[in-house]
């Protein structure tokens, strides 16, 4: 998953594995893209920003560039 503003890369590609019942902590400096990554994962990026990559959830693979498919899952 990565986040872009047009052709500008805002959040470098990141890969995460989340397991049910286990916590996940994302650490980083202010402005490093933690919130944008979280918004990309749930399909709620601000207007003008886009995500690229995939999210695999329960055997279903979602395209990050089409966030409308994410919203019903959350």
């Amino acid at each position: 998953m990565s986040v872009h503003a047009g052709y500008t890369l805002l959040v470098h590609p990141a890969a995460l594995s989340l397991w049910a019942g286990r916590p996940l902590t994302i650490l980083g400096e202010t402005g490093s893209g933690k919130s944008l990554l979280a918004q990309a994962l749930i399909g709620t990026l601000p207007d003008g920003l886009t995500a690229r990559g995939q999210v695999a959830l329960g055997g279903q693979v979602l395209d990050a560039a089409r966030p409308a498919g994410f919203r019903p899952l959350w």
Side-chain angles (χ1 to χ4, degrees):
M1 174 86 52
S2 61
V3 178
H4 303 258
Y7 293 105
T8 303
L9 179 64
L10 299 178
V11 177
H12 288 271
L16 306 170
S17 294
L18 306 174
W19 302 98
R22 303 209 43 204
L24 172 75
T25 302
I26 300 173
L27 297 173
E29 295 182 22
T30 300
S32 63
K34 302 176 300 292
S35 295
L36 288 178
L37 178 60
Q39 290 172 324
L41 287 170
I42 62 172
T44 61
L45 281 171
D47 289 339
L49 301 184
T50 58
R52 295 182 190 160
Q54 296 179 331
V55 174
L57 182 65
Q60 187 176 12
V61 179
L62 303 169
D63 181 358
R66 296 190 172 108
F70 289 37
R71 292 183 182 122
L73 298 172
W74 309 127

